[in-house]
Each structure stands twice: as C-alpha cells, then as structure tokens.
Amino acid sequence: VNYGNNTALHYACRGAKYDTIALLLDNYDSVSVSKRNAHGKLPIDLLWESNTVENRESIEYTESVFRLLKAYPEMIMGINIQMQTASAACTNRNGKKRKLGHETPGQE
C-alpha cells in the first residue's frame, strides 16, 4: 500500500494488467478487492475507468471484471442500493415520483 492507499491490485487494474489481476486474486488471499484508495476508488473502479483498456469486449477484460465481482459480490449489492436510491429520489415537475427508464416521451 502506498501513500494514496493504492494496493498492487489497484495498480494492476489501473494498468489493465489482466495476468497480474488473475495472479493476485487466485494466489493471494490477502488481496483486498474491497479496499478503497485515497480517492475512494475500488480496484474494479480503476479497471472500469482505465484508459489502458483497448477492448472492453475482450475475453481478458471480461474475465478480470468477473473475477473482481466474484471476489467482492457485496459491491453489486451496493450498486443496486445506489440505483434504487437514485430512482426513488427522481421526481417530475409536479413533485410526483417517477421510475427511471419507464418514462413515455411527452409525459411527466
């Protein structure tokens, strides 16, 4: 861990080093996929945001994302809760709540 709370997994994800991600997750139980760095980013966040990723539809990228999600399934639950909270907070101009993704053009 460095001064920014980045672990080896953070660096591997930022650099889209798929072999290193697999090595760390498969061989080191102490790798913390749930550890946030000083910017509040999880390793998977850095992989999703990485400019180093050339093909987000590649097998290597997909496998790395799957490995990270499998190692920290609670993150998926957190995303669902955040989406539900955001949906519940959206209101139309009349102050009535609406569901995201279910709007009909011209209706509010």
Side-chain angles (χ1 to χ4, degrees):
V1 178
N2 71 359
Y3 64 92
N5 286 339
N6 287 300
T7 64
L9 187 58
H10 282 92
Y11 283 108
C13 288
R14 178 181 293 136
K17 304 292 184 190
Y18 305 122
D19 291 337
T20 305
I21 293 168
L23 174 81
L24 290 169
L25 292 174
D26 292 345
N27 297 316
Y28 298 98
D29 292 333
S30 63
V31 172
S32 180
V33 297
S34 62
K35 182 169 180 62
R36 294 184 183 275
N37 66 13
H39 298 285
K41 301 287 185 173
L42 295 169
I44 196 167
D45 295 329
L46 298 178
L47 181 60
W48 283 333
E49 297 170 357
S50 176
N51 292 329
T52 308
V53 175
E54 294 178 14
N55 181 1
R56 296 192 187 276
E57 295 181 12
S58 71
I59 291 171
E60 295 84 2
Y61 177 80
T62 304
E63 284 179 348
S64 293
V65 169
F66 176 76
R67 286 174 188 267
L68 289 161
L69 291 173
K70 184 178 173 187
Y72 185 42
E74 294 84 2
M75 187 192 67
I76 296 171
M77 297 300 293
I79 291 171
N80 282 338
I81 291 168
Q82 289 173 353
M83 289 176 62
Q84 289 172 356
T85 302
S87 177
C90 288
T91 58
N92 65 16
R93 286 181 251 201
N94 297 328
K96 295 181 181 177
K97 290 186 178 182
R98 64 178 179 178
K99 293 182 181 179
L100 294 177
H102 299 289
E103 296 89 7
T104 305
Q107 291 184 349
E108 294 168 350

